[in-house]
Amino acid sequence: MSADTRPQPIDNFRRFRHSFRHWRGQRPFWAGLLTLLAGIPIMYIPYQTMTLGDLSIRMATTAGAGSLIIGVLLVVLGLTMWFQQQSRIFAGVAAILLALVSLVVSNIGAFLIGFLLALIGGALSVSWMPGKPIAAPAADGPADGPADEPSDEPVRLTKDTSPRGEVSGTMPGGEFDGGHRGD
């Protein structure tokens, strides 16, 4: 068996990493992750029993079922942010409202951990926007027709330019990779 026919694990890892970066760049990834992580302490802490030496402290509240529902909804909203980008604003506003409700229902928002994660995740979801296609400026100067007329030239997605003049979010070949620089 020659070296060329064996699978290359490094190439597979690079391919997976590149495809994950592309997937992550197309959606509010960090908003979904923070919102999903916010649901865990809100669900868990009201049902937790802590022991300090011989003393057993049960954190159960009368609103334990409400805490469980809020936690599950935050996990579902985090997954919604990942897989349904069109409803990111609804999911963000709902996460913020559930974070505020968790202050009252779930031991001060599960000791402020879940509250802060849900609040930040919801705000990131509301503020996230997909990349907009920006038409490349014409090198020949002003066109003869009206400026609002659509062009047949290819549209390139860009974010911002780095100090070296490279477009952020592009790979050396010029392909768009989700807006992440590999410095």
Side-chain angles (χ1 to χ4, degrees), residues 3 81 93 104 109 128 180:
M81 291 174 196
V93 170
V104 178
W128 184 84
H180 305 285

Side-chain angles (χ1 to χ4, degrees), residues 28-148:
F29 177 77
W30 295 109
L33 182 67
L34 291 177
T35 305
L36 191 137
L37 291 176
I40 294 170
I42 290 176
M43 281 188 294
Y44 177 72
I45 289 178
Y47 292 105
Q48 178 185 10
T49 301
M50 293 179 11
T51 54
L52 300 171
D54 292 335
L55 182 63
S56 179
I57 302 171
R58 183 156 169 86
M59 304 298 290
T61 63
T62 57
S67 299
L68 184 65
I69 291 171
I70 290 172
V72 168
L73 285 175
L74 284 172
V75 169
V76 169
L77 287 172
L79 293 172
T80 301
M81 291 174 196
W82 282 351
F83 298 111
Q84 294 291 326
Q85 300 86 22
Q86 300 82 8
S87 60
R88 70 185 184 280
I89 294 174
F90 166 75
V93 170
I96 291 170
L97 291 175
L98 285 172
L100 292 173
V101 169
S102 75
L103 283 172
V104 178
V105 173
S106 177
N107 293 337
I108 309 173
F111 300 119
L112 296 178
I113 297 167
F115 167 73
L116 290 175
L117 288 173
L119 200 64
I120 293 169
L124 285 174
S125 178
V126 169
S127 66
W128 184 84
M129 296 262 315
K132 294 182 182 178
I134 299 173
D140 299 340
D144 294 339
D148 295 335

